[in-house]
Amino acid sequence: MAPGAWLAREGERLEFLVILKGRLAVRKQINGKELHIADMTTGDFFGEVNALLDLPAASSLCAMTHCRVAAFDRQQLMELMASSTQCGDFIRKVLQTRLADGPRHAIEISSARVHVSGSRNDPSLTQILKFLKSNRIAYEWVDAPDTGEASVACALPSLTIDGVAIAKPLSERVVAEAFGISTTPQHRSYDLLIVGGGPAGLAAAVYGASEGLRVLLVEQNAMGGQAGSSSRIENYLGFPSGISGEDLAERAVRQAQQFGAELVLTRRVLRLQPDASGGHRVILDGGTSLIAASVLITAGVRWRTLEAEGITALVGRGVSYGVAGIEPVNLAGKRVFLVGGGNSAGQAAVALANYAASVTLLVRGATLEATMSQYLIEQLRAKANVRIETDSKLESVAGHGVLRTICTSHCGTISPRRKADAVYILIGADASTEWLPSNLNRDDDGFIQTGRDVTPRSGSDLSRLPFPLETSLPGVFCAGDVRHGSIKRVASAVGEGSVVIASIHQYLALQQEASRI
């Protein structure tokens, strides 16, 4: 191995390794920061626990010098231990020591780099906490009651990262930069610029970067998109026990970064326009201007708003759109209401039922079967503290500064007012495409048309039909939920984000050929 080469990455399958020559570093991602755990030199061995118990690597191994390493798979290791009693006894002794030291080492690691102090009812903290939770940033909370005193109001809220207080006013971008998350592009031109960090965008970043493209992914809120807030995705290929949206997004982010994709957060794309170079000029908030040879739109969708009395005043004070950023443990013993009858509402209800005293699902339709997967319906009906109210509508919410009660109707008849601690609204989503040029084809609902759905082109590109997943603007592609006709599933979005790279390569090859003529 050459210096800088990775022998193993955290989470990968690991064999039993013996260092014959050189020095390796053991590194681990902890709370968003890569830490140096230990050095390993000639004569050291590693991975006996992983090989024998078939466990993934808990940390990464990187060569610091020129190294020679011998690798043994599980069968070879067992043969080695059986063939030499002295060798087998020694490996077992080290294995027992490492298994005993593991929990103790984990306890010594700080549980969070971020500490937040303030009142949970402080609206200025709502977006910050949502940002931390959505981006899987662990934080510790110091609850400070809202006394109404001016001195307390001036002092709160506060946030520290690695012991350093973050300057006010607090914002997602300020917190991201202090935490070490990239918020500014490093270059001014890219082969591929991806707008949106959901499953489709992350898949495109992984495959694009792995195939040699200079890739920039721009995301405003959180990597993983709406899928990142799913408590459990149970129909994703390869995960028979399910996987949380957070875990899937975190793995995809790390994979994209390992291949060299550049990911920036808290940035919004304001405009997309043609550039004299033949590429596309992309304008970000703050005035940053970038040139991209190709653009992929995976901007996803945004939650639809609900027309009900009192909703606007209590958003962030007990009423929320979606469930991104919530801490289920904070709902222990509370009365929770969810508005919606789709899979997102069902997944949220199943997850919250493990904590809340009661979870009530308010469904406008007569049945759940038309809008929700059967496995979710069965899980909901198996929960003793989940109540499903069909033909129901949320009429109003009320409370002095924080949600206290709600009023619903059933088949048009107003029901008595009920106490409520939290309301989550999941009633579908609309396409986020208003920032795009007017000459980019969309359907009546704003979803982007691609491939065969694109109307005949005018201008200089009449010589060819659009590539698969290419829009009416040459070199601009679209994948995921924001695409017209897409299947609203995580696996489908990942598939589209993967295969679109082939079309982008074809487009870039055409552009290079045209430039030589």
Side-chain angles (χ1 to χ4, degrees):
M1 297 176 60
W6 291 92
L7 178 62
R9 291 279 194 173
E10 185 176 344
E12 294 178 345
R13 183 180 295 275
L14 190 65
E15 296 179 308
F16 176 64
L17 306 169
V18 181
I19 303 175
L20 305 179
K21 178 183 177 182
R23 180 168 60 92
L24 292 120
V26 181
R27 297 175 178 171
K28 185 172 179 62
Q29 285 276 346
I30 299 175
N31 297 328
K33 201 173 192 178
E34 186 173 78
L35 300 182
H36 180 88
I37 303 300
D39 285 334
M40 304 192 72
T41 59
T42 304
D44 288 336
F45 60 83
F46 187 84
E48 70 285 346
V49 176
N50 309 82
L52 291 173
L53 302 180
D54 195 26
L55 298 174
S59 52
S60 302
L61 286 168
C62 180
M64 303 301 291
T65 65
H66 287 282
C67 297
R68 291 182 65 234
V69 181
F72 299 76
D73 62 23
R74 185 174 185 270
Q75 182 177 347
Q76 292 170 329
L77 175 58
M78 293 179 71
E79 291 175 356
L80 175 67
M81 295 172 68
S83 65
S84 169
T85 303
Q86 184 180 6
C87 182
D89 290 344
F90 183 60
I91 291 175
R92 289 187 190 94
K93 182 179 179 180
V94 174
L95 184 149
Q96 290 173 353
T97 302
R98 285 177 173 161
L99 286 175
D101 287 345
R104 183 165 61 252
H105 179 67
I107 291 172
E108 293 172 355
I109 298 173
S110 174
S111 60
R113 296 169 53 198
V114 180
H115 292 78
V116 184
S117 176
S119 169
R120 292 187 185 274
N121 294 328
D122 189 335
S124 66
L125 277 178
T126 301
Q127 284 301 112
I128 299 298
L129 296 182
K130 182 177 180 180
F131 174 80
L132 294 173
K133 172 66 176 175
S134 299
N135 286 284
R136 299 159 290 284
I137 299 175
Y139 65 90
E140 291 183 357
W141 177 273
V142 179
D143 199 11
D146 188 359
T147 62
E149 297 177 7
S151 59
V152 174
C154 292
L156 298 176
S158 66
L159 184 145
T160 62
I161 298 178
D162 296 331
V164 178
I166 307 305
K168 298 177 181 178
L170 296 175
S171 70
E172 293 98 319
R173 189 170 299 171
V174 168
V175 172
E177 290 172 350
F179 193 75
I181 296 173
S182 177
T183 63
T184 304
Q186 298 177 8
H187 306 284
R188 283 291 174 262
S189 65
Y190 294 87
D191 298 320
L192 171 61
L193 190 146
I194 303 169
V195 184
L202 287 171
V206 169
Y207 284 92
S210 70
E211 295 178 16
L213 299 179
R214 178 184 281 186
V215 176
L216 171 68
L217 188 153
V218 180
E219 167 59 43
Q220 183 178 1
N221 300 310
M223 296 297 174
Q226 289 190 31
S229 65
S230 296
S231 58
R232 185 150 300 273
I233 303 168
E234 297 188 79
N235 56 356
Y236 192 75
L237 182 67
F239 294 91
S241 300
I243 183 172
S244 73
E246 287 187 355
D247 286 343
L248 188 63
E250 184 176 8
R251 295 183 188 194
V253 166
R254 289 170 56 189
Q255 196 173 14
Q257 291 173 330
Q258 286 173 9
F259 281 121
E262 188 181 337
L263 308 159
V264 299
L265 264 179
T266 72
R267 291 287 177 179
R268 183 163 57 96
V269 177
L270 300 180
R271 291 196 307 281
L272 172 64
Q273 58 195 45
D275 185 73
S277 65
H280 305 274
R281 183 170 295 277
V282 180
I283 311 298
L284 307 184
D285 61 332
T288 302
S289 178
L290 306 170
I291 300 296
S294 61
V295 175
L296 173 62
I297 302 168
T298 57
V301 292
R302 58 171 175 263
W303 290 111
R304 292 173 185 154
T305 57
L306 181 67
E307 295 295 330
E309 184 181 347
I311 287 284
T312 303
L314 292 178
V315 169
R317 295 172 176 264
V319 177
S320 300
Y321 285 98
V323 292
I326 68 168
E327 292 284 3
V329 70
N330 293 333
L331 298 175
K334 296 186 177 180
R335 295 152 296 199
V336 176
F337 291 81
L338 291 104
V339 182
N343 280 351
S344 295
Q347 290 169 346
V350 169
L352 297 182
N354 296 325
Y355 299 87
S358 65
V359 175
T360 303
L361 201 60
L362 302 175
V363 183
R364 184 184 292 268
T367 65
L368 279 177
E369 279 72 13
T371 56
M372 188 179 295
S373 297
Q374 188 61 37
Y375 79 92
L376 279 174
I377 296 174
E378 293 172 358
Q379 289 183 18
L380 288 173
R381 288 173 176 166
K383 296 280 187 181
N385 60 336
V386 172
R387 178 182 173 86
I388 301 171
E389 298 183 7
T390 56
D391 290 314
S392 296
K393 180 181 176 183
L394 180 65
E395 297 290 346
S396 66
V397 298
H400 295 290
V402 65
L403 177 69
R404 298 297 182 194
T405 63
I406 68 169
C407 181
T408 63
S409 62
H410 176 68
C411 295
T413 301
I414 301 297
S415 304
R417 186 164 290 276
R418 289 181 274 182
K419 292 182 179 180
D421 298 300
V423 169
Y424 297 101
I425 303 168
L426 304 97
I427 56 173
D430 295 314
S432 302
T433 57
E434 65 282 346
W435 55 276
L436 288 166
S438 59
N439 59 340
L440 187 143
N441 286 178
R442 280 159 279 195
D443 63 18
D444 293 339
D445 296 317
F447 290 88
I448 299 172
Q449 295 172 322
T450 60
R452 292 181 299 176
D453 293 325
V454 171
T455 56
R457 289 173 169 170
S458 59
S460 61
D461 226 49
L462 290 171
S463 57
R464 67 173 179 87
L465 295 173
F467 290 118
L469 301 180
E470 188 178 19
T471 71
S472 58
L473 298 179
V476 178
F477 298 79
C478 179
D481 289 356
V482 74
R483 187 180 68 83
H484 167 76
S486 66
I487 300 172
K488 306 300 188 284
R489 290 289 186 272
V490 174
S492 175
V494 170
E496 290 186 10
S498 305
V499 301
V500 73
I501 298 301
S503 294
I504 290 171
H505 274 302
Q506 289 179 286
Y507 170 78
L508 294 177
L510 276 182
Q511 294 300 101
Q512 290 177 353
E513 184 179 343
S515 66
R516 290 194 293 265
I517 298 176

